[in-house]
Amino acid sequence: PFATGAIAFISNMASADTAWTYEDLVSRMKNESSGYRFVIENVKSGIANEVLRFINSDTLPRHFYALPNKQEVLTYVREHEQSIGLIDYSDISDTDTQYTREVLNSINLLGITRPQDSIQYGFVRPFQYNLQDHKYPFTRDLYIITNTGLNDVSLGFASFVCGEIGQKIILADSLHITERL
């Protein structure tokens, strides 16, 4: 793995509940009568696969909606108070951009506890320092896979990303979010 990614859970600004326990969140993802609509981007995405793993199922429950792109997920969450969006944290981590600042000012980024049977750190958000310290529970390792078997450009790129400069770029991109909160 060259980095750790996170699934960010977002809610409508009018939603009073911005901190969830791990168990409550997983239970609501499994329970179709939970009162919440979960919204993801693309039913065949990596996030959808992670959700299936977390809820231990082969299919997404009926209260999950898959929309064609990230912008539609954000719009849906902004317009529906009882909705929870699941997006890749990297989509909202760069607060140097005006777009990201506008998104973060229009949604809640939920804080989530770790599972009960693990060390507790309170309600944590998917910030870089929580990912590196393995405090945030909804993470996934990111890999670069090359199948050429040659010392070519793809191997050079992988070496760059895994090297000191590439890792500093990844780190710099994920640190900006903490400035807002």
Side-chain angles (χ1 to χ4, degrees):
F2 72 92
T4 299
I7 298 172
F9 291 82
I10 60 172
S11 69
N12 183 287
M13 287 295 282
S15 178
D17 198 1
T18 60
W20 293 38
T21 66
Y22 175 89
E23 287 76 18
D24 189 36
L25 184 57
V26 170
S27 172
R28 290 180 191 231
M29 285 193 291
K30 289 179 180 180
N31 184 356
E32 293 179 8
S33 62
S34 70
Y36 283 90
R37 283 174 247 136
F38 290 87
V39 188
I40 61 173
E41 176 186 353
N42 186 351
V43 73
K44 295 183 181 185
S45 70
I47 289 177
N49 289 332
E50 289 295 311
V51 168
L52 292 173
R53 187 173 65 83
F54 282 117
I55 66 172
N56 196 24
S57 176
D58 294 332
T59 59
L60 289 173
R62 291 182 310 191
H63 65 300
F64 271 80
Y65 296 91
L67 299 174
N69 58 56
K70 170 185 58 178
Q71 190 57 46
E72 288 190 37
V73 171
L74 294 170
T75 299
Y76 190 92
V77 168
R78 286 184 194 120
E79 294 175 356
H80 297 87
E81 188 173 336
Q82 290 297 105
S83 64
I84 302 294
L86 287 75
I87 61 174
D88 193 297
Y89 172 68
S90 65
D91 292 336
I92 57 171
S93 66
D94 186 4
T95 58
D96 283 345
T97 67
Q98 181 65 26
Y99 170 78
T100 301
R101 288 190 296 268
E102 289 171 4
V103 167
L104 290 172
N105 286 324
S106 67
I107 52 104
N108 288 317
L109 182 60
L110 302 181
I112 303 168
T113 65
R114 291 176 46 80
Q116 283 182 348
D117 62 350
S118 52
I119 298 172
Q120 294 300 308
Y121 298 102
F123 295 98
V124 294
R125 291 184 174 90
F127 302 142
Q128 190 277 332
Y129 53 87
N130 288 330
L131 301 182
Q132 83 178 21
D133 294 340
H134 306 287
K135 292 180 179 179
Y136 189 74
F138 293 96
T139 62
R140 57 189 174 163
D141 288 332
L142 304 176
Y143 296 88
I144 295 175
I145 300 172
T146 177
N147 61 1
T148 64
L150 305 172
N151 281 338
D152 59 0
V153 175
S154 63
L155 186 59
F157 177 73
S159 295
F160 172 77
V161 170
C162 294
E164 183 177 355
I165 295 172
Q167 289 295 295
K168 285 183 179 181
I169 291 170
I170 291 169
L171 176 64
D173 228 18
S174 63
L175 286 178
H176 299 296
I177 187 74
T178 57
E179 297 167 6
R180 178 183 175 268
L181 303 169

